[in-house]
Amino acid sequence: MRIYKATIWAKINYGSIAYHSANNNLLYKLQVIQNTALKIITGTRKSKSTVLLHIECGMLTLNNQREINQLKYHARTKALGDDLPINLSVTKDDPVYLKRYKNPRTR
């Protein structure tokens, strides 16, 4: 798991803020890479649920990790002004923003 996180996951996660708006098919291919790696690491069958696989490995899906990275970066750069590209992309209409800031249960 350490080797996976240090090599593959680090490369996929790096720059996830920049490619969060990529085509869903391309993002799905990245998720398949992670799922395959986790199945190899744990030695499970291909038919095992990916939800259970992520729970067993203590990993988030790449989509969830991208959302977390985007919100962290937004929080760090918010003080620098609203005209930065990341602050323009995370708006009150953005689903990531709505899930995090508008739902009182997530606070």
Side-chain angles (χ1 to χ4, degrees), residues 5 7 10 14 18 20 36-37 40 44 47 51 54 63 71 75 88 95-97 102 104:
K5 283 185 176 180
T7 57
Y14 181 78
H20 77 276
T36 304
I40 291 169
T44 60
S47 61
V51 174
H54 284 94
N63 187 39
L71 287 171
L88 294 174
V96 173
Y97 179 88
K102 294 296 182 180

Side-chain angles (χ1 to χ4, degrees), residues 10-57:
K11 289 185 188 321
I12 291 174
N13 197 38
Y14 181 78
S16 64
I17 296 167
Y19 70 81
H20 77 276
S21 62
N23 184 337
N24 285 335
N25 290 334
L26 296 174
L27 296 176
Y28 176 75
K29 287 180 182 180
L30 289 174
Q31 187 62 56
V32 168
I33 291 170
Q34 175 170 326
N35 295 345
T36 304
L38 294 179
K39 287 178 183 180
I40 291 169
I41 291 167
T42 58
T44 60
R45 288 183 252 133
K46 290 183 179 182
S47 61
K48 184 171 184 173
S49 167
T50 56
V51 174
L52 295 175
L53 184 66
H54 284 94
I55 291 170
E56 182 180 334
C57 293

